[in-house]
Amino acid sequence: MDGVNGKPAGGRIHFGSLEAVEARNRQAAAADSPSSATTSSQAQGVALDELRVDDKYELSETSKRARDQHTEIMEMFERRKRARTLAVPTDDKKVREKLRELGEPQCLFGEDNMDRRTRLRELMAKDAPIDEEDEKMASEDENSESESDEEEEVYTPGSESLLTARRDIARYSLPKAAQRVARQSEENKISVAVFKAMRAEEFDKLKIYSNYSSQIGDDRPLSQCAFSPDSKFLATGSFGGLCKIWSIPECNVVHSLRGHTDKIGGIKWHPKAHIDQARGAVNLATGGGDGIVNLWSLESDTPIRSLKGHEARVARIGFHPMGRFLGSAGYDGTWRFWDVEAGAEILTQRGHSREVYAIAFQCDGSLAATGGLDAVGRVWDLRTGRSALTMEGHVSDILGIDFSPNGYQMATGSADNTIRIWDLRTLRSIHSIPAHTNLVSDLKFYPGQPVGIEGSDTVMQMDNEQPQQQPSKSGLYLGSCSFDGTIKLWSADDWKLQKSLVGHTGKVTGLDISSDGRFLGSSGFDRTFKLWAPEDAAY
């Protein structure tokens, strides 16, 4: 340093930023030299319009692979989108003919009818051309999606028989609903301790359930089973179209009913069968892959009436609680309402975008619920014909549906391996159960004893000569079966697993719970039906 005693020559030390000094110097130089303005603007940046675009470049191998993968994924989504809009035949014969036209094998090893139809849909979507008109229609569909939602409900003129049926259902269901509500109000007065004791007793029985008996039902896999209302008989249906009625618990064949030429998809007993229904009247109904619903008496091995109208396979069926009407779900995308006494179809209801598979009726008789392969469930008001609730939440086919005896809850089982519980009071799903490791093929609530049967849980019991109503056991638990080979029992209040039953050597296709609560029945691909009961059962 210059200066005396180490001090600077100027007499002081300057503290400051050198960057600030340089900035002031540049500003002064720019003011003195106008030619430097252009240089300053260039230093600040280049306008976007003046940027040069270099399109003469080559992508690296990694970038090319990423671009090709992105293109393939977008094409896959486009194919799936087109596949959902394609009209694919449901008849297996027509599916085979179409595959032959496309030059593809008619059948692959281990392929069933549904797999073959899915393969045809994918091939048709892959070969379908994409033109400007298709893209225009797709964009118009997307733009008008909100408008179509508002115009979703479509009404058509109904017949006089349908009007009469709706009035009769209203007259039947309103008193039934009033009785149910009054009964539930009375049960609310029962102490919690009584409820807890009854619940603990029933769930202890479930936890010791085991295989009671096993019987080969046919030389083809069994598709469905159903207990009679008095719990003394079990009906089974097979892939060969044969229906058999077995005595319970002896498991002896009582009737062999021949009337279908294809797989039986649904079996239901008349609500009064073996109670006060005449043996010569309609006591049982079956739906088959031949598109026919057959009605059976207990006096003949041939159907007393065949209901024809579905254009494809009939899946599940169900009797209305009145016993006068029957509902059927079909692969033609409709569910149909039949007058059993007249043998006539009174309603063809559309509302699903794909095949309808499951159907059930509420205990009051006012509502019907359907589930389809479009992963959507719907609740229909039979008195007005309107759709009361759309159940959206599953991500795959709905294969099972059932109303709880309490009248306001219902369960749906799906190919996404889950069970969803729905509440009609809140119009939404209140619980989702990750139930199985494969698709849920069927489910049932414990129905409880019908009124008029000895041992019904609706009667009053005497305690020290004072009448005391006991809580109803109806709907106390829910049973489900799956293609993972298991049957599971769930509590119907907290939806917890109570018991898992293993015994079938293949897929389990159907189950039912006897109204007296003594047995649970199941059917499977191993050609057997099995009865399950508590280990300490004395019967």
Side-chain angles (χ1 to χ4, degrees):
M1 298 180 64
D2 297 333
V4 182
N5 298 328
K7 294 182 179 181
R12 66 184 180 86
I13 299 175
H14 176 76
F15 295 93
S17 172
L18 294 179
E19 294 179 358
V21 174
E22 290 297 327
R24 286 196 299 270
N25 293 339
R26 284 196 299 269
Q27 291 176 0
D32 295 340
S33 178
S35 61
S36 64
T38 304
T39 305
S40 176
S41 64
Q42 292 178 351
Q44 292 177 0
V46 181
L48 182 63
D49 296 336
E50 298 177 0
L51 287 176
R52 294 181 180 180
V53 179
D54 183 14
D55 54 359
K56 298 179 180 180
Y57 63 91
E58 291 187 3
L59 293 175
S60 64
E61 292 299 325
T62 304
S63 299
K64 289 180 180 179
R65 285 196 299 268
R67 181 189 60 187
D68 295 341
Q69 290 176 358
H70 175 74
T71 304
E72 291 178 1
I73 292 174
M74 295 305 297
E75 290 178 353
M76 179 185 67
F77 280 116
E78 286 297 327
R79 286 197 302 270
R80 290 181 178 178
K81 185 176 180 180
R82 293 197 302 274
R84 288 195 296 267
T85 62
L86 290 174
V88 182
T90 56
D91 185 11
D92 187 58
K93 183 178 179 181
K94 295 181 180 179
V95 171
R96 291 174 182 266
E97 293 176 354
K98 187 66 177 179
L99 286 171
R100 190 186 306 117
E101 292 177 6
L102 297 176
E104 296 290 334
Q106 294 186 41
C107 184
L108 299 179
F109 180 75
E111 186 179 55
D112 59 12
N113 295 357
M114 288 299 298
D115 296 335
R116 191 158 36 250
R117 187 167 181 264
T118 302
R119 179 162 62 92
L120 174 61
R121 183 186 293 275
E122 293 175 352
L123 291 171
M124 293 175 63
K126 182 179 180 181
D127 297 338
I130 305 177
D131 51 20
E132 295 181 357
E133 189 66 23
D134 291 338
E135 294 180 354
K136 181 179 178 182
M137 291 175 62
S139 62
E140 290 178 355
D141 290 341
E142 293 177 358
N143 294 334
S144 62
E145 184 176 353
S146 58
E147 297 178 4
S148 64
D149 289 343
E150 297 178 358
E151 301 176 358
E152 184 179 7
E153 292 185 350
V154 178
Y155 294 93
T156 56
S159 62
E160 188 66 27
S161 59
L162 177 59
L163 177 61
T164 303
R166 294 201 190 283
R167 288 173 176 170
D168 293 343
I169 291 173
R171 295 189 188 100
Y172 174 86
S173 63
L174 292 176
K176 284 285 186 179
Q179 294 172 10
R180 173 175 56 83
V181 173
R183 185 172 62 252
Q184 291 172 347
S185 298
E186 290 297 322
E187 289 183 353
N188 289 336
K189 301 176 183 178
I190 302 175
S191 67
V192 177
V194 175
F195 270 106
K196 292 178 65 177
M198 181 271 293
R199 182 181 185 274
E201 179 183 356
E202 292 301 316
F203 288 171
D204 286 343
K205 292 181 182 178
L206 296 182
K207 292 175 181 178
I208 59 173
Y209 260 53
S210 63
N211 188 209
Y212 180 87
S213 65
S214 180
Q215 177 68 278
I216 295 178
D218 196 60
D219 56 0
R220 296 289 305 279
L222 300 184
S223 54
Q224 278 279 281
C225 63
F227 282 102
S228 62
D230 65 350
S231 304
K232 295 181 180 179
F233 298 92
L234 179 75
T236 60
S238 76
F239 278 37
L242 180 64
C243 175
K244 293 183 179 180
I245 299 178
W246 308 78
S247 61
I248 299 299
E250 297 84 5
C251 296
N252 296 324
V253 178
V254 179
H255 295 285
S256 293
L257 310 177
R258 303 178 184 274
H260 291 285
T261 59
D262 203 343
K263 169 185 175 180
I264 292 180
I267 296 180
K268 274 294 181 180
W269 289 89
H270 189 281
K272 298 296 183 180
H274 289 286
I275 299 178
D276 55 12
Q277 182 81 339
R279 291 182 58 85
V282 175
N283 280 263
L284 183 71
T286 57
D290 49 13
I292 299 175
V293 178
N294 284 328
L295 305 179
W296 309 85
S297 70
L298 300 177
E299 296 180 345
S300 174
D301 293 341
T302 57
I304 59 176
R305 187 175 292 121
S306 294
L307 306 178
K308 300 179 180 180
H310 280 286
E311 300 174 0
R313 165 187 169 189
V314 177
R316 303 289 189 255
I317 62 174
F319 270 101
H320 186 273
M322 289 177 65
R324 175 181 155 192
F325 305 106
L326 180 140
S328 59
Y331 268 49
D332 55 3
T334 68
W335 70 271
R336 303 185 184 227
F337 203 49
W338 309 84
D339 188 326
V340 174
E341 297 176 357
E345 175 189 319
I346 58 176
L347 173 65
T348 300
Q349 182 66 64
R350 300 183 182 274
H352 291 270
S353 60
R354 292 189 62 189
E355 297 89 339
V356 186
Y357 193 87
I359 187 169
F361 291 97
Q362 188 206 31
C363 56
D364 300 336
S366 59
L367 302 174
T370 55
L373 303 190
D374 53 1
V376 175
R378 289 187 178 274
V379 178
W380 308 86
D381 190 338
L382 297 175
R383 299 163 298 185
T384 63
R386 299 193 62 176
S387 175
L389 172 64
T390 301
M391 297 176 287
E392 297 178 326
H394 287 292
V395 296
S396 191
D397 314 342
I398 294 179
L399 305 176
I401 194 165
D402 195 26
F403 277 97
S404 170
N406 63 24
Y408 55 82
Q409 287 181 335
M410 56 188 304
T412 54
S414 170
D416 60 10
N417 309 346
T418 68
I419 297 172
R420 281 187 174 267
I421 309 301
W422 308 83
D423 195 313
L424 297 177
R425 299 169 299 180
T426 59
L427 301 179
R428 64 182 182 87
S429 172
I430 60 173
H431 198 79
S432 179
I433 308 173
H436 293 272
T437 58
N438 205 330
L439 63 83
V440 180
S441 53
D442 204 358
L443 51 78
K444 291 288 190 306
F445 280 97
Y446 167 54
Q449 284 279 42
V451 176
I453 295 292
E454 184 179 355
S456 172
D457 57 14
T458 60
V459 300
M460 306 288 286
Q461 295 191 4
M462 303 298 293
D463 183 15
N464 296 329
E465 299 184 356
Q466 293 294 326
Q468 181 182 1
Q469 184 178 15
Q470 297 298 310
S472 173
K473 300 177 183 178
S474 302
L476 189 61
Y477 58 91
L478 171 72
S480 66
C481 63
S482 168
F483 274 19
D484 62 10
T486 65
I487 301 105
K488 295 186 177 182
L489 302 175
W490 312 84
S491 57
D493 44 17
D494 54 7
W495 311 109
K496 292 183 178 179
L497 179 63
Q498 300 298 319
K499 183 66 176 180
S500 181
L501 304 172
V502 180
H504 285 278
T505 57
K507 302 172 182 177
V508 184
T509 55
L511 90 159
D512 198 13
I513 304 173
S514 64
S515 57
D516 60 6
R518 299 170 66 197
F519 294 105
L520 183 147
S522 61
S523 58
F525 266 64
D526 55 5
R527 302 179 294 125
T528 69
F529 70 89
K530 300 182 185 297
L531 298 180
W532 309 82
E535 292 179 349
D536 58 357
Y539 38 88

